[in-house]
Structures are given as C-alpha cells and as structure tokens.
Amino acid sequence: MDSSAELIAEVPGFIRLHKDGWVERLNGNERVPPSTDHHTTGVSLKDILIDPETALSARLYLPPLSGNHHRRPLLPWWWLLQRWAVRQTRPGTEPWIANHADLSHIMVAGDSAGANLIHHVAMRAGGTSAVHGSGPPVEDLVKIQGTLLVHPYFWSSTILDGELPVLAARVELIWKLACPASPGVDDPIMNPLAVGSLSLSGLGCRRVLVAIAGKDFLRGRGRWFYEALTARGWKGEAEVEEVEGEEHVFHLFRPEDEKAKLLLKRFASFINSE
C-alpha cells in the first residue's frame, strides 16, 4: 500500500504525518559517528546513553585542557537537561563529567525550538515553570550560570512588523502538529510573554545571550524576547548577537563558513566568561 495515501497532515518540505503514526522527516536525519581523530582539533568525542527508557543518547565533547585548568564549564545542549545534569552531581556519574567538568559553572544552550525548551529549563531553575508543571521538582535542580538561546523559536498570535502571514500560518501548523492539545501559539510554552505566563523576572540564571540572524524569519522574535527580558525586572545581564545576511541556524548547515566560525567563537567566549 502506498503510505502517501494515508497522509493526514503535512508541512511542505519539512514533515509528513501518516495515519498509522509514521512521521516522515523530509530534511534528513542522518547520524554521524563520533570522530576518533582528536589529534587534529584536540577535542575528544564519545556517545553516552542519557535515558534508557527512550534510548535517548548524547554526544560528549571534551576540549583540550591546558595549564592549571583541569575543569571546564559544563554545557548541556538541548533537552532532558535537568534530570541529566542533576545526576552528574551524584555517585556513579559519567567519568568525563566527574573528572573534567566544573559543576559550579553550568551553562545551557539550544538552537531554534531547542532554545525555546532551554528557556523553560532556565525558568524552572529559577523555581518556576511555564511548561505546565513538567520536569523534575524544583528542589532537584542544579544552579545555572548562563543561558544561550540561538535563534529561539518563539511565536505569538500577534504578528510583529516584518512577519508575513504565510509564515505565521506555517508556524501555527507546525505547532498544532507538535502539540495538538495546546490551545494555540499563545500557549506560554510557545509565547513566553503570553497572558498568564510566568514573569521573566524569575529566570533562573544570571546571564543570557540571544543570538539572531539577519535573514531569519524568527529574527524579530529574538529581539522581542531580549527587549522583554531587559524590561521586566530580571536582575541578570542580557546580550544580543546578530549576524547580518544569514538564515535560521545557518551555522549548523555551513559550519565551515567564516561567519559561522566567528559566531561559535562568540558562543565560546560567553560560555567561558565568569
């Protein structure tokens, strides 16, 4: 049987949802094994299992250590971060974390929708959560020093200047597929400034860097969030970094471009600064 006959929803060029539950990702989902050639870059890599129930894995990157710097900031990138980070403070932890990570200097980061999720992780670390009570208890969290939001995927029913209705319709369709039980894009999960959402003053970190790209359809949302964060009583330090002339998460698709390299250096500076 042709599976396309059972198609029930589609975001053209992105994803298809079939009646039998099969989700077809049209942008590719290739898995690249960790490199064993650490002599070229000095960075060692390995994969570890994060969640046995779902078979979720993560890739660890261990940068070279020099001089008296035996430990580096811990940077979990994207989700299930809370439970995993907490486990690293207990016996039986991953050896690379136990031997080389500075658990007093935890930064969190995410791209696109991952940046959205990371924002809610930071809110929960501050003792609050806009994700309807999901995640571990507040007392079961580690302290986060900084949050790196890369091209965050926020939205709202109010269209900002420069946003096209056709893009708004696409975002709303994707959101409906991702969270069919949600009331819409003004759900606090998607819209951190929605009526009824928790105050950004409770964000649980002391530093935030919002990265945006000049040709990204979400560019305005990054500015929108940054301006709200600096205006709503949060006591931390917020920065914004814009790369002109580039698209959404361009650094993931073209990591060898000079602009991508400069952006990653900016991230490294943010992560390693006190």
Side-chain angles (χ1 to χ4, degrees):
M1 179 183 294
D2 183 4
S3 62
S4 63
E6 303 178 9
L7 189 68
I8 59 174
E10 178 180 11
V11 180
F14 181 60
I15 197 169
R16 291 176 182 149
L17 180 63
H18 297 262
K19 186 177 181 180
D20 62 1
W22 177 40
V23 177
E24 191 177 2
R25 300 179 181 181
L26 304 179
N27 286 336
N29 193 31
E30 298 82 7
R31 182 179 179 86
V32 179
S35 170
T36 57
D37 181 19
H38 67 274
H39 299 290
T40 302
T41 63
V43 178
S44 299
L45 288 75
K46 71 175 177 179
D47 289 345
I48 62 171
L49 185 65
I50 293 290
D51 186 354
E53 293 185 4
T54 62
L56 179 68
S57 64
R59 180 156 297 171
L60 296 186
Y61 294 80
L62 179 63
L65 303 173
S66 59
N68 295 323
H69 299 285
H70 300 297
R71 295 187 179 272
R72 291 291 180 87
L74 178 62
L75 178 69
W77 197 284
W78 222 55
W79 201 217
L80 279 185
L81 149 74
Q82 296 162 300
R83 293 179 177 88
W84 181 80
V86 167
R87 286 202 299 267
Q88 307 318 303
T89 66
R90 297 171 180 168
T93 188
E94 157 60 40
W96 278 15
I97 303 297
N99 296 330
H100 302 294
D102 180 0
L103 295 178
S104 68
H105 192 169
I106 295 179
M107 314 288 282
V108 295
D111 304 284
S112 192
N116 181 309
L117 298 174
I118 286 301
H119 163 69
H120 292 297
V121 168
M123 289 295 292
R124 177 162 284 275
T128 59
S129 176
V131 194
H132 306 311
S134 63
V138 170
E139 64 272 12
D140 201 24
L141 296 172
V142 294
K143 186 176 181 180
I144 295 175
Q145 296 296 320
T147 303
L148 174 55
L149 306 179
V150 185
H151 308 169
Y153 205 107
F154 296 128
W155 203 257
S156 72
S157 60
T158 301
I159 303 301
L160 303 182
D161 289 344
E163 292 178 342
L164 301 177
V166 66
L167 290 176
R170 180 181 174 90
V171 171
E172 291 176 5
L173 176 57
I174 293 173
W175 179 243
K176 183 177 180 180
L177 291 176
C179 294
S182 170
V185 292
D186 284 323
D187 188 316
I189 301 174
M190 188 66 153
N191 178 3
L193 309 185
V195 175
S197 62
L198 296 167
S199 173
L200 293 178
S201 64
L203 189 66
C205 62
R206 61 183 183 87
R207 300 174 59 230
V208 170
L209 174 61
V210 182
I212 57 180
K215 295 174 67 176
D216 184 4
F217 75 103
L218 291 169
R219 173 186 179 276
R221 294 296 167 172
R223 288 279 182 187
W224 172 75
F225 175 81
Y226 166 76
E227 291 170 1
L229 184 61
T230 56
R232 298 199 176 190
W234 180 61
K235 302 301 182 182
E237 175 187 346
E239 306 171 61
V240 65
E241 182 76 16
E242 179 170 0
V243 179
E244 296 289 348
E246 294 295 345
E247 302 282 355
H248 189 63
V249 295
F250 73 96
H251 57 291
L252 298 182
F253 297 105
R254 304 192 315 277
E256 295 303 317
D257 283 8
E258 190 60 29
K259 286 185 179 179
K261 291 179 180 179
L262 290 174
L263 183 62
L264 294 177
K265 287 181 180 179
R266 176 70 174 91
F267 295 167
S269 176
F270 175 78
I271 292 164
N272 287 296
S273 60
E274 296 296 334

